[in-house]
Each structure stands twice: as structure tokens, then as C-alpha cells.
Amino acid sequence: MPSPLSISFVVPVYSGEDYLERLVMSVESIRDDWEREGAPVRLSELLLVDDAAIDGSPAKIDDLAAARPWIVALHLSRNYGQHAATIGGILHSSGDWVVTLDEDLQHPPERVEELLLHAVRHQCDVVYARPIAGKVHGKRWRDGSSRQVKRLTEWLTGTPTLHLVNSFRLIRGPIARATASVCTHNTYFDIALTWFTQRVSGIEMNLSDKRFMQTGRSGYNLKKLVVHAQKMLFSGQLRFLPLGLWIGAALFLFSVIAGIYVFMLRLFMPETISVEGWTSLFVAVCMSTGLISIMMGICLQYLSTLVLKAHGHPTFFTIDRSGDRQIVDWLENRTAIAERPVAEIPHISDLAMAERSGVA
């Protein structure tokens, strides 16, 4: 029997003192269930990344790690932000799969099985939990504006999966760590994931940010949201960059044709030119503007290539998906049993009686 695949949970922590105990208990329950059932997948580690937390989270993380050897406590030297803390946790992970989730229980750990089943059933490398529209923060303007910014950035960068993005995600371990290793301080992690795989999907879940609903405070103020959108925009390759090059080329071609036409008029029908000098000036302006646009377009294309190289855009990447089959069989069988009516599921006493009577 092949050895079970491992899963690492990564949780960035900034103000999670009131939630960490319950979060760990939920994760521990999943871990115990998988071990008890002999699952082909095991929860190998929970990495709690202290992003210079502003409450008592650092001490709480250390206490939880001391009591449970499978919990890894990581303390960042200063506050770097949620994305950086997530990347740091991923780089310290070792699992065949990596789950990232928030500290405040808006991402229920028990829903990971749904993400995993979807991933292995459809051979996906990244699966996001997609919150139902308008349900996350309880304010339609907040959720709607976030959704529209993602859609706009998706169109501008040509990244078709950006609308799926959420911090509750399941990623194949090698891809997660490769992506994290190339991220700089200005790289948007989820766009960098698309450099390594196109097999990105999402499943809808009823997720809600209870902390925001109760306190009205979010970890992202307007300034942070703008920086967030800026990272998304500049981590991708803007799809309209070649447009300047083609507009410049069209303008230059037009000026050449117009120049030839005016020259022929000057030679053969000079009487048709009523204003001297204006036409030649117009042609000259069009030609110079076209040349400038062409040169700027070429420079921007080169610059875009250099930026992607600086971001660590890979030439290729290999991945092994051969272990998915064993997880599919186990999870589908587990789901089928869970969905059966109670009357159809044999009770342990019924099985014992059947054995004694020789039926089973």
C-alpha cells in the first residue's frame, strides 16, 4: 500500500488570540479522523506564522506548538503583511498539498475535504473556496467593489482565474513552494501561481467574516486595498501594452500613404491644394508620433519581459499527479457513506448479530 500523502496547513496570524485555540481544535479533529480511518492522506503539520501580531498571539502560538509536536511556530521579525506571512509559511512547509486559511475561523478547516475532492477528481493544482456573493462581509458595497476590482484586473492582465482568488485555497505542495520562492515584495502570489499551472478552479462556499460583521473593522483598510490592487495589476503582463505598438505602426503607415498622396497632388494637381504647408505639417506630425509610439511600444514590451524575469517567471515546471487516484477513491466512498440515509447505514450491533447468525 502506498504511503499516505501529506497536507500542510498554513495560517498567517496578526490578531488571532481569541481564535487560535478553536482553530487548532478544528484542525486536530480533522487530523485525528484521518488517522483513525487510515486515510490515504494525513495532516502532517499546522504552521502558525506570527506576523508581528498586535495581541497575545505570539505566546499563544508557542504554547500550542509546545503542546502539539505537529504544530510549527514561525515568528516573523516584523510585520510584513498577510501575503508575505503566507508565503513564508508555505516555504517552511513540506506537505504534498498546502492549505492556506485565515486565523479567524471564517475559513472552516473541515471544508478542506471538499477542496481536496474537487482537486483530485478534476486533476486541479489549485482550488479556491469561492464565497457566495455579498455574504463575506455582510455589506454588498464591500464585497461588490472587491469583486469588480478583481474582474477589472483580470481583464487588464489577461489572468482568467483572478475572480476565483481567495485566501482559503488548496495548492499542490511543489507548485505552492515554487511559487512562493519566486515571489518578491511586490509580486501577487495568486497571479504567480498561474505561471506554474493552468489547472486552477474554485468551488462555492458560504463563508463569512464574522470579525468584520461584529466589530466593523477589517484587516484591510482603503490604503491596503489600493496597494493590494496595485500588486495584482503589476504582477501580470498588461494585455494592452502591444496596443501602443500597433497604433504607432498604423499611424506611421497612414502618414507614409498620406505623404505619397500629397506629393502626387503637388506634382500633378497643385491647384487642388488651397492651404500651403498645413498638409505637410500634419503628415510630419503623424509620422513622428507614429515612430515615437512604435519605439515606446517596443521599449514597454522589453520592459515587461524584464519585469516578468525579475519576478521569476519560469520557462517550465513539472508536476506529479499520480497520487490523486487513491485520494479520489477514499473521499468519494467517504462522501457516499455520509450521504446515505441513516436507515441504510448498518449499525455496529446489526453487523455483530449478522456475523453470529452466519449472514455476514
Side-chain angles (χ1 to χ4, degrees):
M1 181 178 179
S3 57
L5 300 177
S6 58
I7 293 185
S8 301
F9 278 54
V10 174
V11 182
V13 181
Y14 183 63
S15 57
E17 182 181 11
D18 297 333
Y19 306 94
L20 287 175
E21 191 77 43
R22 283 178 288 163
L23 174 66
V24 167
M25 290 177 64
S26 296
V27 174
E28 189 171 39
S29 175
I30 298 169
R31 186 175 186 271
D32 293 343
D33 285 347
W34 288 354
E35 287 187 355
R36 184 172 56 253
E37 296 175 18
V41 61
R42 62 185 177 87
L43 202 161
S44 60
E45 58 189 355
L46 167 63
L47 297 101
L48 299 175
V49 186
D50 164 31
D51 187 25
I54 57 176
D55 57 7
S57 295
K60 175 70 74 173
I61 290 173
D62 288 335
D63 291 342
L64 292 169
R68 298 168 176 83
W70 50 274
I71 294 181
V72 180
L74 297 175
H75 298 279
L76 301 187
S77 59
R78 50 153 290 182
N79 175 252
Y80 288 94
Q82 182 183 11
H83 271 65
T86 302
I87 289 168
I90 289 173
L91 286 174
H92 282 81
S93 70
S94 59
D96 297 296
W97 290 91
V98 174
V99 175
T100 66
L101 63 163
D102 289 351
E103 62 190 13
D104 55 5
L105 297 173
Q106 67 169 295
H107 302 150
E110 60 271 15
R111 306 295 296 273
V112 167
E113 284 191 11
E114 296 174 43
L115 298 176
L116 184 60
L117 178 59
H118 185 87
V120 295
R121 179 182 282 166
H122 300 285
Q123 293 272 284
C124 296
D125 297 323
V126 182
V127 180
Y128 292 100
R130 293 184 60 194
I132 297 173
K135 297 290 186 180
V136 181
H137 300 96
K139 294 183 181 292
R140 288 195 173 275
W141 66 266
R142 176 71 167 79
D143 296 327
S145 59
S146 176
R147 191 164 57 252
Q148 293 307 317
V149 167
K150 286 180 181 177
R151 286 288 188 182
L152 176 61
T153 310
E154 183 177 86
W155 180 81
L156 289 173
T157 60
T159 308
T161 58
L162 203 53
H163 68 282
L164 300 173
V165 168
N166 187 271
S167 53
F168 190 18
R169 32 170 126 70
L170 173 75
I171 317 168
R172 287 189 193 272
I175 288 177
R177 286 182 286 273
T179 303
S181 68
V182 302
C183 283
T184 66
H185 72 284
N186 205 36
T187 306
Y188 196 75
F189 177 74
D190 295 282
I191 288 183
L193 278 173
T194 63
W195 302 343
F196 292 88
T197 181
Q198 294 175 313
R199 299 191 180 191
V200 180
S201 186
I203 56 176
E204 196 169 75
M205 289 187 184
N206 187 13
L207 306 176
S208 59
D209 189 346
K210 294 183 176 61
R211 177 160 56 181
F212 178 83
M213 293 178 180
Q214 293 168 359
T215 65
R217 295 193 304 270
S218 171
Y220 284 92
N221 55 29
L222 180 60
K223 181 181 177 181
K224 288 183 178 180
L225 288 172
V226 170
V227 172
H228 200 61
Q230 179 184 322
K231 281 187 177 183
M232 284 195 290
L233 191 61
F234 289 103
S235 293
Q237 192 169 22
L238 298 178
R239 67 192 308 172
F240 59 80
L241 283 183
L243 186 61
L245 177 62
W246 291 112
I247 290 176
L251 193 58
F252 180 78
L253 181 62
F254 168 77
S255 67
V256 170
I257 295 172
I260 294 173
Y261 175 73
V262 171
F263 180 73
M264 298 301 291
L265 283 181
R266 185 70 178 177
L267 283 180
F268 300 105
M269 291 183 291
E271 67 280 359
T272 60
I273 302 176
S274 57
V275 180
E276 295 287 340
W278 185 89
T279 310
S280 58
L281 179 63
F282 175 76
V283 170
V285 169
C286 286
M287 182 174 289
S288 59
T289 304
L291 282 173
I292 292 172
S293 298
I294 290 172
M295 297 307 296
M296 286 294 293
I298 292 173
C299 289
L300 287 174
Q301 286 287 82
Y302 272 114
L303 184 60
S304 176
T305 303
L306 291 174
V307 168
L308 285 179
K309 183 177 180 181
H311 277 308
H313 198 294
T315 305
F316 69 92
F317 191 77
T318 60
I319 194 69
D320 179 15
R321 303 185 181 95
S322 59
D324 289 2
R325 187 68 258 167
Q326 57 178 322
I327 302 178
V328 171
D329 294 339
W330 175 71
L331 280 176
E332 287 185 341
N333 182 60
R334 196 168 189 264
T335 303
I337 292 176
E339 291 177 350
R340 286 169 61 187
V342 176
E344 293 184 14
I345 303 177
H347 192 272
I348 188 168
S349 59
D350 297 332
L351 293 175
M353 290 179 62
E355 287 179 358
R356 285 196 295 269
S357 62
V359 174

